[in-house]
Amino acid sequence: MLNVKGLKCAFNNAGATVVGVDDVSFNIEKGACYALLGPSGCGKTTTLRCVAGLQEPSGGVIEIDGRVVYDATAGICVPTHERPIGVVFQSYAIWPHMTVFENVAYPLRVQRPRLRESEIRDRVMNVLSLVGMKDIGERPAPRLSGGQQQRVALARAIVRNPALVLLDEPLSNLDAVLRDHMRKELAELIARVGVTALFVTHDQIEAMSLAHRIAVMKDGRIVQEGAPREIYAHPRDIFVAQFLGAANTIDGVVDTALADGRARVRLNDGQSLTCRSAAQPGSPVTLVLRPERLRLSASRPDGSAGLAAQVRSVTFLGGFVECVTELGDARLRVIGPPDVSPEAGAGVWLCLLDEPIALPRRE
Ligand SMILES: Nc1ncnc2c1ncn2[C@@H]1O[C@H](COP(=O)(O)OP(=O)(O)OP(=O)(O)O)[C@@H](O)[C@H]1O
Ligand SMILES: [Mg+2]
């Protein structure tokens, strides 16, 4: 549906060239929801703006729904209003001087040839009821909550039945509780409308809960692409592992290579563990240990692998406790049920629920 190939976008910043997007390629299947995830400045918005036609790239090809809308070498650059897209901006860009109805109707009113008023009314009421806003169509736009503004922005983006909806940080200006609620609502809405969606976010929870596939970006490039579970379980490097959840890391060296892509790794403090790793003996590696895959135990676990550690701090967080443990010079965070509360300074065992991944470390 959306096909982006070798997209490049450079900016001229007071004579210096800043690379915003550097050779980005990805495809989105029809009806899928795709996320560009990455830290601030990695090129997410720039990629989205290039797809929208709001920013002219410096190279590459963009194809939407079978039509090439940008091709650097062929000199094709289709203007925004001729691309089959709807955009939800980070600020929502709801016009304050209009009612909810008129905000949503706007893209239809500027459409040529003109639509009949009755058709505009039908289509606007249709999308307003889709987003649960049918009864407040006449309300002036400034009198809307954050969540309602978000729904209006989405309604406006889909009113022309675009092939593709682009959303830039669609939830970032909502407070934490509303964001949680709207995340689920947005996922439902996108599925119900059946539209193909590309959204950008720096929030991994948002990306994992909304998207079928995620591209993790860094410095203008895609470093890894895949289904949320796939990249969570098999991060290509430490950056991806850390970005997709507050992973613990601990350094070690491969002792022995085992069968099936596994290896015995010796940690800096002398303890050993079996990990998923294709690294050769002697290679320095970094282990990724997810807090939710560790359990605290007073005694050495039998059956599963364990590491001896010392409790540094225990923080009660309502539904769970967060325990920071020390193992040599590494700190490992463990999440436990609220009734588990070891003393700071106590010796504990960390039981590993599965074999951690050990990634090559460049020294
Ligand atoms: N109009 C511009 N002129 C010059 N440099 C720009 C321009 N727009 C973006 N950049 C630069 O391109 C890079 C990517 O910016 P972009 O806005 O795409 O990042 P982002 O991933 O959306 O970040 P954020 O999460 O902060 O929104 C940054 O280094 C940024 O400073
Ligand atoms: Mg941005």
PDB file of all heavy atoms in Angstrom, residues 41 44-46 90 168-169 200, ligand 2:
ATOM      1  N   GLY A  41      14.477  13.591  17.263  1.00  0.00           N
ATOM      2  CA  GLY A  41      15.454  13.974  16.243  1.00  0.00           C
ATOM      3  C   GLY A  41      15.907  12.849  15.331  1.00  0.00           C
ATOM      4  O   GLY A  41      16.791  13.045  14.500  1.00  0.00           O
ATOM      5  N   LYS A  44      11.595  10.845  12.396  1.00  0.00           N
ATOM      6  CA  LYS A  44      10.230  10.315  12.267  1.00  0.00           C
ATOM      7  C   LYS A  44       9.296  11.296  11.561  1.00  0.00           C
ATOM      8  O   LYS A  44       8.650  10.958  10.566  1.00  0.00           O
ATOM      9  CB  LYS A  44       9.639   9.992  13.660  1.00  0.00           C
ATOM     10  CG  LYS A  44      10.506   9.103  14.514  1.00  0.00           C
ATOM     11  CD  LYS A  44       9.874   8.859  15.868  1.00  0.00           C
ATOM     12  CE  LYS A  44       9.732  10.070  16.772  1.00  0.00           C
ATOM     13  NZ  LYS A  44      10.982  10.605  17.314  1.00  0.00           N
ATOM     14  N   THR A  45       9.248  12.519  12.096  1.00  0.00           N
ATOM     15  CA  THR A  45       8.341  13.517  11.511  1.00  0.00           C
ATOM     16  C   THR A  45       8.750  13.835  10.076  1.00  0.00           C
ATOM     17  O   THR A  45       7.900  13.975   9.197  1.00  0.00           O
ATOM     18  CB  THR A  45       8.341  14.805  12.372  1.00  0.00           C
ATOM     19  OG1 THR A  45       7.829  14.465  13.659  1.00  0.00           O
ATOM     20  CG2 THR A  45       7.476  15.885  11.755  1.00  0.00           C
ATOM     21  N   THR A  46      10.049  13.926   9.836  1.00  0.00           N
ATOM     22  CA  THR A  46      10.518  14.227   8.486  1.00  0.00           C
ATOM     23  C   THR A  46      10.045  13.145   7.512  1.00  0.00           C
ATOM     24  O   THR A  46       9.570  13.452   6.415  1.00  0.00           O
ATOM     25  CB  THR A  46      12.061  14.339   8.475  1.00  0.00           C
ATOM     26  OG1 THR A  46      12.445  15.300   9.456  1.00  0.00           O
ATOM     27  CG2 THR A  46      12.583  14.752   7.122  1.00  0.00           C
ATOM     28  N   GLN A  90       0.469  16.482  15.371  1.00  0.00           N
ATOM     29  CA  GLN A  90       0.725  16.349  16.806  1.00  0.00           C
ATOM     30  C   GLN A  90      -0.133  17.320  17.616  1.00  0.00           C
ATOM     31  O   GLN A  90      -0.670  16.978  18.652  1.00  0.00           O
ATOM     32  CB  GLN A  90       2.204  16.624  17.052  1.00  0.00           C
ATOM     33  CG  GLN A  90       2.581  16.508  18.502  1.00  0.00           C
ATOM     34  CD  GLN A  90       4.086  16.480  18.689  1.00  0.00           C
ATOM     35  OE1 GLN A  90       4.839  16.511  17.721  1.00  0.00           O
ATOM     36  NE2 GLN A  90       4.514  16.403  19.922  1.00  0.00           N
ATOM     37  N   ASP A 168       1.062  11.979  13.518  1.00  0.00           N
ATOM     38  CA  ASP A 168       2.319  12.357  14.151  1.00  0.00           C
ATOM     39  C   ASP A 168       2.103  12.455  15.657  1.00  0.00           C
ATOM     40  O   ASP A 168       1.394  13.344  16.121  1.00  0.00           O
ATOM     41  CB  ASP A 168       2.803  13.697  13.591  1.00  0.00           C
ATOM     42  CG  ASP A 168       4.247  13.998  13.992  1.00  0.00           C
ATOM     43  OD1 ASP A 168       4.805  13.262  14.840  1.00  0.00           O
ATOM     44  OD2 ASP A 168       4.806  14.964  13.466  1.00  0.00           O
ATOM     45  N   GLU A 169       2.702  11.556  16.420  1.00  0.00           N
ATOM     46  CA  GLU A 169       2.582  11.542  17.889  1.00  0.00           C
ATOM     47  C   GLU A 169       1.132  11.796  18.301  1.00  0.00           C
ATOM     48  O   GLU A 169       0.846  12.762  19.001  1.00  0.00           O
ATOM     49  CB  GLU A 169       3.485  12.625  18.506  1.00  0.00           C
ATOM     50  CG  GLU A 169       4.942  12.544  18.097  1.00  0.00           C
ATOM     51  CD  GLU A 169       5.789  11.684  19.039  1.00  0.00           C
ATOM     52  OE1 GLU A 169       5.220  11.119  19.984  1.00  0.00           O
ATOM     53  OE2 GLU A 169       6.991  11.572  18.777  1.00  0.00           O
ATOM     54  N   VAL A 200       3.869   8.001  13.917  1.00  0.00           N
ATOM     55  CA  VAL A 200       5.195   8.123  14.503  1.00  0.00           C
ATOM     56  C   VAL A 200       5.064   8.406  15.982  1.00  0.00           C
ATOM     57  O   VAL A 200       4.136   9.077  16.418  1.00  0.00           O
ATOM     58  CB  VAL A 200       6.059   9.210  13.814  1.00  0.00           C
ATOM     59  CG1 VAL A 200       6.020   9.071  12.314  1.00  0.00           C
ATOM     60  CG2 VAL A 200       5.669  10.588  14.235  1.00  0.00           C
TER      61      VAL A 200
HETATM   62 MG    MG B   2       8.624  14.662  15.403  1.00  0.00          MG
END
